[in-house]
Amino acid sequence: MLEEMKPLFCELYGNPSSMHTFGGQIGRKIRKARQQVAELLGCDPSEIIFTSCGTESDNAAIRGTLAAQPDRRKIITTRVEHPAVLAVCRELENHGYSVVEMAVDKQGRLDLAELEEQIDDETALVTIMYANNETGVVFPIEKIARMVAEKGALFHTDAVQTVGKIALDLSKSRIDLLSLSGHKLHAPKGVGVLYVRKGTRLSPFMLGGHQEAGRRAGTENVPGIVALGKACELAAKNLEEENNKVRYLRDKLENAILESCPGAMLNGDKENRLPNTTNISFEYIEGEAILLMLDKFGVCASSGSACTSGSLEPSHVLRAMGIPFTAAHGSIRFSLSRYNTEEEVDYTIEKMPQIVNKLRELSPFITK
Ligand code: PLP
C-alpha cells in the first residue's frame, strides 16, 4: 500500500482537477481506486463518493438526504450508534426534526417489529449501523433495508466496522447509502467513502468545486484514496482469512479470558457478531485501569470506542443494553485483525488474569 502511495508524495503531485498532464495522471489513479472500492462493495464506481473519514460520510448521508426531502421530518436510528450518527440526529432534533432512537435488548439486538411500526409517511431516513463498534453485534441490515424500502423511506447504514470483514454486494441490496472509513480496513487515516445508490436524492454536504461529480467539493486526499483502493483490493482477497483466522484468534482469546478471569462476562450477541471483536466486562474493576496495565505489557485494547475512551462516562452502548453500571465501567474491547498472531493472543491470555486479580485486590467493592 505504501508503495502505491509514495509516488504521490514525491513525483505525482499534480492536482486531479488540473487540465495539464500531471493532473490527468492523478485523475487516472483516482478512477482506479474508485473501481477497486466499487468491486469490494459490489456497486458501480459512479456510486462512490470519496470523503475525509467515516464521520464525514455519516454526516453527509444524514444531512444530505434530509435536505433533499424537506417535506419529511422524521429520522429513525438506534441508541447504540456511533456519535458520528447520534450527535447529528440529536442536533437535528434541536432544529425541529422528530428523532426516534430504537432501544436494543440485553444482547444488543433490535426488535424489527417495533422498528417497522415506527416507519411512517413522515420518515425521511432510517440510519442504522451494520455492526456495532463496541460489541461487534451485527444487525440484520439487508432485512431492515428491504423493510425500509417497502415503506418508502431512505436507508443509510454506517458500515465503518463492517467493510472488509463481511462480504457485501450492494447490487443486490436495498441499502441506499453506506459509510465506510479507510483506517478500519488498513488504509491510512483521513479517507472515507459514502456510497450513494444511483437515483438517490442527496444534497451536497460540502459546497465549492466540482470534485466527486459535484457531490463533495474539495481537493481530494489522493494518497489516501489510492491507498484505500488498494486496501479494498486486499480486503476482498483476505475476507475469507479474516473470517477464519481472526475468528479463531478472537474466540481463543475470549474463551481463555472468560475462563481464567473472575467476574468476567461477555457483552453482546455471541452469534451475530463481527469475527474480530470481543467486549468483556469485569465487574467492580475499572476498564481504564485494565487498559493502562495492558498497555504497560505492550497490549493495546480499548474501553468503549476509541472516541469516547478517556471520558469517565460508561459506554452509551453498554448502558443501552442494560449492562449494570458496575460492569459497564469495567468493560474492555479487543479488536483483532489479520495482522495479529497467535503468540500475541497467547501473551495476552497469560497477562489478563494477573491484571484482573491485581485490580480486584485493590477494588473497594470486593470484600475479602
Ligand atoms: N462509525 C463507526 C461505527 C465507527 O466505529 C467510527 C470510528 O471508529 C466512525 C463511525 C467514525 O469514523 P472516522 O473515525 O473515520 O471518522
Side-chain angles (χ1 to χ4, degrees):
M1 206 179 303
L2 183 62
E3 288 312 308
E4 314 262 331
M5 290 173 78
K6 263 191 205 157
L8 296 153
F9 291 116
C10 309
E11 303 134 37
L12 299 172
Y13 43 78
N15 186 328
S17 297
S18 302
M19 297 293 288
H20 49 58
T21 314
F22 265 10
Q25 286 170 331
I26 309 295
R28 279 193 290 283
K29 298 252 176 217
I30 295 183
R31 271 198 296 286
K32 180 176 168 199
R34 203 183 300 283
Q35 180 71 41
Q36 287 165 315
V37 177
E39 267 166 33
L40 179 65
L41 299 184
C43 67
D44 193 85
S46 65
E47 296 173 312
I48 297 297
I49 302 177
F50 287 113
T51 65
S52 67
C53 59
T55 301
E56 184 192 326
S57 302
D58 286 341
N59 273 256
I62 299 169
R63 292 184 187 280
T65 49
L66 293 179
Q69 311 171 81
D71 47 333
R72 291 187 176 217
R73 307 282 294 174
K74 181 172 171 183
I75 313 158
I76 302 175
T77 186
T78 77
R79 286 192 198 156
V80 296
E81 298 299 308
H82 188 276
V85 166
L86 267 187
V88 183
C89 292
R90 288 177 185 168
E91 206 245 354
L92 287 163
E93 204 166 18
N94 294 333
H95 292 275
Y97 282 90
S98 136
V99 176
V100 176
E101 291 181 14
M102 300 296 301
V104 293
D105 69 10
K106 262 195 150 350
Q107 315 251 288
R109 296 172 304 201
L110 278 171
D111 182 332
L112 294 199
E114 244 175 62
L115 172 64
E116 189 165 21
E117 256 174 47
Q118 284 292 346
I119 311 168
D120 57 18
D121 296 345
E122 276 289 293
T123 309
L125 179 72
V126 178
T127 172
I128 295 182
M129 67 200 326
Y130 212 119
N132 188 271
N133 48 304
E134 295 189 27
T135 59
V137 172
V138 175
F139 287 140
I141 287 302
E142 294 302 341
K143 214 168 171 179
I144 296 174
R146 281 195 298 279
M147 180 198 290
V148 177
E150 276 158 23
K151 294 257 188 173
L154 288 178
F155 182 63
H156 165 248
T157 187
D158 173 342
V160 164
Q161 293 290 337
T162 319
V163 174
K165 300 186 187 94
I166 292 180
L168 296 172
D169 185 357
L170 294 174
S171 70
K172 298 201 174 83
S173 163
R174 300 299 297 265
I175 295 170
D176 297 303
L177 304 106
L178 175 145
S179 304
L180 72 88
S181 172
H183 64 281
K184 302 297 179 190
L185 59 152
H186 308 295
K189 288 162 278 292
V191 63
V193 160
L194 178 62
Y195 155 83
V196 185
R197 172 201 288 282
K198 232 177 251 170
T200 306
R201 282 167 55 214
L202 181 85
S203 294
F205 175 60
M206 301 267 275
L207 300 175
H210 295 291
Q211 292 90 350
E212 299 299 290
R215 295 170 300 177
R216 196 274 187 184
T219 300
E220 300 87 342
N221 167 10
V222 182
I225 289 172
V226 166
L228 177 56
K230 185 71 188 174
C232 286
E233 187 190 306
L234 294 172
K237 258 192 221 149
N238 289 303
L239 210 80
E240 202 51 34
E241 184 188 355
E242 183 93 36
N243 266 310
N244 296 331
K245 176 189 154 185
V246 179
R247 189 189 304 275
Y248 163 75
L249 292 179
R250 189 273 312 271
D251 289 349
K252 182 173 186 188
L253 177 68
E254 180 176 285
N255 291 334
I257 292 176
L258 291 174
E259 264 172 37
S260 65
C261 297
M265 51 199 175
L266 181 67
N267 295 316
D269 182 0
K270 202 167 178 248
E271 299 308 314
N272 300 303
R273 248 193 320 167
L274 293 174
N276 74 320
T277 307
T278 180
N279 187 309
I280 304 178
S281 279
F282 302 87
E283 210 159 15
Y284 303 123
I285 59 178
E286 289 282 331
E288 304 286 322
I290 304 175
L291 294 186
L292 289 176
M293 289 180 74
L294 274 174
D295 191 46
K296 278 213 173 106
F297 288 122
V299 179
C300 303
S302 64
S303 67
S305 65
C307 329
T308 49
S309 290
S311 86
L312 289 175
E313 282 297 303
S315 142
H316 72 284
V317 174
L318 299 185
R319 295 298 289 143
M321 289 160 61
I323 307 291
F325 195 82
T326 45
H329 245 306
S331 80
I332 63 170
R333 175 194 69 171
F334 291 99
S335 30
L336 289 85
S337 81
R338 61 180 183 270
Y339 298 112
N340 284 113
T341 63
E342 190 145 12
E343 288 72 42
E344 288 167 342
V345 166
D346 290 340
Y347 176 74
T348 311
I349 289 173
E350 182 198 318
K351 297 297 173 204
M352 274 304 287
Q354 297 169 21
I355 293 173
V356 171
N357 284 326
K358 181 152 188 125
L359 292 172
R360 282 174 74 87
E361 275 169 25
L362 300 173
S363 171
F365 300 106
I366 298 170
T367 47
K368 280 101 201 166

